[in-house]
Amino acid sequence: MNPKMSELRKKAMALPLLPGVYIMHGKGGEIIYIGKAKALKNRVSQYFGSQNNHPEKVRRMVDNVDHFEYIITDSEFEALILECSLIKQHTPKYNILLKDDKGYSYIRVGEGDWGKISYVLQKSDDGAQYIGPYKSSYYVKSAVEEANKIFMLPTCNRKFPQDFRKARPCLNYHIKQCMAPCTGRVKKADYREAVSQALDFLKGGSSNSVKLLTEQMEQAAENLEFERAAKIRDRIAAVKKMGDKQKVVANKVLDEDVVAGFSNDGKICFQVFRFEGGRLFDRESFIFEIGDEAADLEEFLLRYYTLRSDVPKNIALYREYDGIEDLSRWLSEKRGNKVNITVPQRGEQAQLVAMCRSNAAEALAQQKGATVREYSVLEELRQLLGLENIPEYIESYDISNLAGTENVAGMIVYKNGKPLKSAYRKFKIKGFEGQDDYASMAEVLQRRFEEYYNAEDSDEGFGKLPDLILLDGGKGQVAAVREVFDRMNISVPLFGMVKDDKHRTRAVTGEGGEIAINSRRQVFTFLSKMQDEVHRFAIGYHHARRKKNTFKSSLTQIDGVGEVRAKALLKYFRTIDNISKADLEELEQAPKMTKDCALAVYRYFNPENEN
């Protein structure tokens, strides 16, 4: 903790209840954070009170504060303008900082009669034609991919005409996304025409491209070139179809940014969709450590539009925050006319925001090695169980025995919605003999968390605290384990997975009773698979134990034969039956056998020949 905490708090409590900007300095005098406030005293004093409610990012910043200063302004709007200016000037390490380093992109047209169209980030002196530069790499990439599909141009690494007839055409030819010049059957003039039409599409957009193609089709028909006219007709249909797909995404959106965020496990991702003329022409993704989500959103928007020279007429956000009116005023002054900021709740705009937020979740999931589908089911599970955070690390337990014999348990782990088999563990019940599933489950979880306390400063294996524990069983198992948790001071969400009479997962049970999951398809499937997996793992260990004991009860009962010798015998003879039928000489020749052991094994299976 910061040794100057009490001093800083005393100074903060003496601040006026006026709007302004506060500037936090580190031990070397450097500026480490700049913020604005409607009431300086209230905002700044929050930093130097209890640290329990602060996220990790804020705690680290407070620990490094040596002193602070402040500037009073006439209004919160003036504070916002001053804050933007100071952050741009000083770039403090704990503020959200965006770099205006987005490079330019180009459309590249390869040289020669068989040149391909591609997108690149830099121009090269290679004889190719370059169109651009474009600010949006997303737009260039998407447009080039569309053009190549519509006009059936190759995107492979083959070079023409060098690679004519050297290999069969790839899958793109068979799904009608490439004319396959590699076959050597495409005329040079037809290929150059397709490239020219694709460039018209890229330069002029779909509507202009349709107009030019229609003129070419009519001209070909007048010249009785019906085969060429039919090809152009198909390309017009493909261009229109691609345009229709864009209309489905943004039917009425003309000039707008859509901004949405998704947070989890100390990180937040902001996604920006940029629409122009009814078309999604750019998208950007930014991931930061999370502080307070509303404050982070405001700070992100200020940084983002500080760097943007162009401001859209409309901005749609995924949530409200207190400073929206000031942001709208600031952006309106920057744009020169009114900027509308909304938080849509229904209709097409709300769908766009939801799509944007889903992409933010996907970006965050990919950074953690998961997919948006896996994250969405974990989010649904979090909501269903009332958890504070998404359960990224889940442990599940099951007991297996046969009439109280070979009492064992299995522990499986799911990380980011997928099995983490390297973390699976097996337990042999040691505390008692006989069948008692409640006591077995309690023993296993006690041993698991004894290992947790022994694994100091470790975040792997038993040293990692799970986000959720699921037991195969009902309220009895949950109650037994809850006693263990209370005794060991363990605070981990705990639930049981309840099966129906057909051994299918039907509900989750906790201290508040059962929670039905049948109506939640994703969660139902996820929990059913997990329950099946933990049952498979536990019963597999149980069968292995039984097999080992059966093995012990036969060969290892013979004098001089231990587990190593018994395994060697089974490997050599393959079955117990073959061992029992082997003569003395064959037994003596087996690996790891002595004459005395061979004689003992022979007499064990042939007691009638002992004389």
Side-chain angles (χ1 to χ4, degrees):
M1 180 180 283
N2 192 329
K4 290 189 172 184
M5 188 68 77
S6 59
E7 178 187 335
L8 291 167
R9 178 165 177 77
K10 184 178 179 180
K11 182 179 177 181
M13 293 302 291
L15 291 175
L17 288 168
L18 295 173
V21 171
Y22 54 92
I23 304 166
M24 305 287 191
H25 292 264
K27 295 177 178 60
E30 73 282 9
I31 296 175
I32 62 173
Y33 186 75
I34 298 172
K36 70 171 180 66
K38 184 185 296 185
L40 284 165
K41 176 182 176 180
N42 294 344
R43 184 70 187 98
V44 178
S45 62
Q46 289 178 358
Y47 288 110
F48 307 115
S50 173
Q51 298 295 294
N52 295 334
N53 296 324
H54 289 324
E56 180 62 26
K57 175 185 174 183
V58 176
R59 285 199 294 268
R60 287 204 308 270
M61 186 273 288
V62 172
D63 283 344
N64 286 284
V65 174
D66 180 77
H67 63 280
F68 66 84
E69 57 181 316
Y70 62 94
I71 302 171
I72 295 173
T73 58
D74 290 335
S75 67
E76 190 178 5
F77 178 71
E78 286 187 10
L80 181 147
I81 302 300
L82 180 58
E83 179 198 31
C84 287
S85 175
L86 290 173
I87 289 175
K88 189 173 183 180
Q89 180 181 347
H90 297 287
T91 61
K93 66 181 292 186
Y94 288 105
N95 282 100
I96 289 177
L97 301 175
L98 305 179
K99 295 181 180 179
D100 192 15
D101 60 356
K102 195 173 182 185
Y104 291 100
S105 300
Y106 298 85
I107 297 171
R108 180 185 183 275
V109 186
E111 63 178 334
D113 293 324
W114 301 93
K116 299 174 188 175
I117 299 177
S118 58
Y119 69 94
V120 294
L121 297 176
Q122 291 181 339
K123 291 175 68 173
S124 300
D125 188 14
D126 56 0
Q129 176 188 354
Y130 288 88
I131 304 170
Y134 298 93
K135 184 72 173 174
S136 170
S137 60
Y138 172 81
Y139 168 77
V140 175
K141 182 175 182 286
S142 300
V144 168
E145 288 175 351
E146 288 177 11
N148 282 327
K149 286 180 181 179
I150 291 170
F151 298 96
M152 300 177 66
L153 297 174
T155 57
C156 60
N157 294 323
R158 296 176 185 177
K159 295 181 180 179
F160 309 123
Q162 297 95 314
D163 291 337
F164 281 170
R165 302 183 187 88
K166 287 188 177 180
R168 292 181 179 179
C170 63
L171 178 63
N172 282 348
Y173 168 73
H174 297 288
I175 61 176
K176 300 184 189 265
Q177 287 188 3
C178 180
M179 62 177 69
C182 56
T183 60
R185 295 195 293 267
V186 177
K187 295 179 181 179
K188 186 188 299 183
D190 290 343
Y191 185 84
R192 294 306 304 166
E193 182 182 46
V195 170
S196 176
Q197 291 171 350
L199 291 176
D200 288 338
F201 169 79
L202 290 168
K203 293 175 182 177
S206 58
S207 57
N208 190 56
S209 179
V210 168
K211 182 179 178 181
L212 291 173
L213 287 171
T214 302
E215 291 174 359
Q216 293 174 17
M217 179 182 68
E218 291 172 352
Q219 184 65 44
E222 286 181 13
N223 295 336
L224 304 182
E225 298 174 88
F226 299 116
E227 185 176 348
R228 179 169 175 264
K231 286 181 181 179
I232 298 174
R233 178 202 61 202
D234 293 341
R235 286 170 186 167
I236 292 171
V239 172
K240 288 181 176 178
K241 186 177 180 182
M242 193 66 70
D244 289 341
K245 287 182 179 179
Q246 283 290 341
K247 288 176 185 176
V248 170
V249 174
N251 192 28
K252 299 176 183 177
V253 180
L254 295 177
D255 178 17
E256 179 179 64
D257 284 356
V258 178
V259 182
F262 186 89
S263 62
N264 181 58
D265 194 30
K267 297 279 188 181
I268 188 165
C269 174
F270 289 114
Q271 188 93 187
V272 182
F273 281 3
R274 300 177 65 187
F275 291 91
E276 194 173 85
R279 183 183 178 88
L280 176 66
F281 79 95
D282 199 6
R283 54 182 284 191
E284 298 176 273
S285 183
F286 307 88
I287 297 177
F288 312 99
E289 284 189 75
I290 190 170
D292 173 81
E293 187 168 341
D296 285 345
L297 173 60
E298 180 180 26
E299 192 175 352
F300 168 74
L301 292 170
L302 294 175
R303 300 296 83 74
Y304 183 74
Y305 288 108
T306 296
L307 296 176
R308 282 270 298 272
S309 58
D310 58 321
V311 178
K313 185 176 181 181
N314 303 293
I315 298 174
L317 303 180
Y318 75 110
R319 61 165 293 167
E320 299 269 3
Y321 72 90
D322 289 340
I324 286 181
E325 290 184 6
D326 286 336
L327 176 69
S328 177
R329 180 180 169 187
W330 174 59
L331 292 178
S332 297
E333 290 184 1
K334 185 171 183 177
R335 177 181 166 87
N337 52 45
K338 177 69 173 175
V339 173
N340 301 305
I341 302 179
T342 59
V343 183
Q345 301 299 316
R346 61 181 65 85
E348 184 182 50
Q349 289 291 302
Q351 292 174 8
L352 286 175
V353 171
M355 181 177 71
C356 188
R357 190 165 191 265
S358 177
N359 277 266
E362 173 72 26
L364 200 59
Q366 286 180 352
Q367 192 186 62
K368 292 174 173 289
T371 67
V372 72
R373 177 172 292 185
E374 289 157 354
Y375 249 54
S376 66
V377 71
L378 294 178
E379 169 64 16
E380 190 175 339
L381 181 62
R382 181 194 71 77
Q383 294 175 1
L384 179 72
L385 302 181
L387 307 178
E388 290 186 9
N389 299 308
I390 286 180
E392 294 182 345
Y393 198 89
I394 304 174
E395 292 180 0
S396 183
Y397 296 81
D398 190 18
I399 304 296
S400 183
N401 59 66
L402 181 63
T405 62
E406 293 305 328
N407 204 357
V408 299
M411 175 191 107
I412 67 167
V413 173
Y414 270 52
K415 184 177 182 181
N416 293 326
K418 294 180 287 190
L420 182 64
K421 296 199 174 182
S422 62
Y424 284 19
R425 296 292 185 269
K426 302 170 183 175
F427 298 84
K428 180 183 176 184
I429 305 303
K430 301 176 180 179
F432 60 91
E433 296 290 337
Q435 183 173 356
D436 187 336
D437 286 356
Y438 300 162
S440 297
M441 197 68 84
E443 178 187 325
V444 168
L445 270 296
Q446 178 172 324
R447 287 163 54 188
R448 185 262 181 266
F449 284 104
E450 285 173 351
E451 291 293 331
Y452 168 71
Y453 283 121
N454 291 333
E456 295 181 2
D457 300 324
S458 173
D459 197 34
E460 298 178 353
F462 284 142
K464 182 174 180 65
L465 203 63
D467 302 316
L468 172 65
I469 288 178
L470 295 171
L471 310 177
D472 188 295
K475 60 182 180 181
Q477 282 88 343
V478 172
V481 173
R482 176 56 62 193
E483 290 182 9
V484 174
F485 279 17
D486 292 342
R487 188 170 64 251
M488 300 184 72
N489 195 28
I490 296 296
S491 180
V492 174
L494 174 68
F495 293 87
M497 296 182 291
V498 185
K499 295 179 180 177
D500 60 19
D501 53 4
K502 294 183 180 178
H503 213 65
R504 296 177 304 190
T505 310
R506 66 171 178 82
V508 176
T509 185
E511 294 178 334
E514 288 191 1
I515 305 170
I517 61 173
N518 294 8
S519 62
R520 296 175 177 260
R521 189 66 202 172
Q522 280 196 106
V523 170
F524 175 79
T525 303
F526 177 74
L527 292 180
S528 295
K529 286 183 178 179
M530 181 177 288
Q531 195 166 25
D532 290 343
E533 173 68 0
V534 71
H535 180 70
R536 177 201 65 78
F537 186 64
I539 204 168
Y541 181 42
H542 173 68
H543 288 164
R545 294 284 309 171
R546 285 180 57 197
K547 184 176 180 181
K548 184 177 181 180
N549 280 350
T550 302
F551 172 66
K552 281 183 178 179
S553 64
S554 55
L555 291 179
T556 54
Q557 288 183 359
I558 303 172
D559 289 341
V561 179
E563 286 191 26
V564 174
R565 222 167 236 157
K567 286 180 181 178
L569 276 172
L570 272 177
K571 186 175 180 180
Y572 185 75
F573 288 102
R574 296 188 179 275
T575 66
I576 296 282
D577 187 55
N578 288 342
I579 296 172
S580 68
K581 293 176 181 177
D583 59 31
L584 184 59
E585 185 177 353
E586 289 175 319
L587 290 169
E588 289 176 350
Q589 292 174 354
K592 299 189 182 296
M593 292 295 288
T594 64
K595 288 187 177 181
D596 290 341
C597 283
L599 182 60
V601 172
Y602 181 77
R603 286 177 173 174
Y604 178 82
F605 288 108
N606 301 276
E608 69 280 3
N609 295 331
E610 285 192 23
N611 295 327

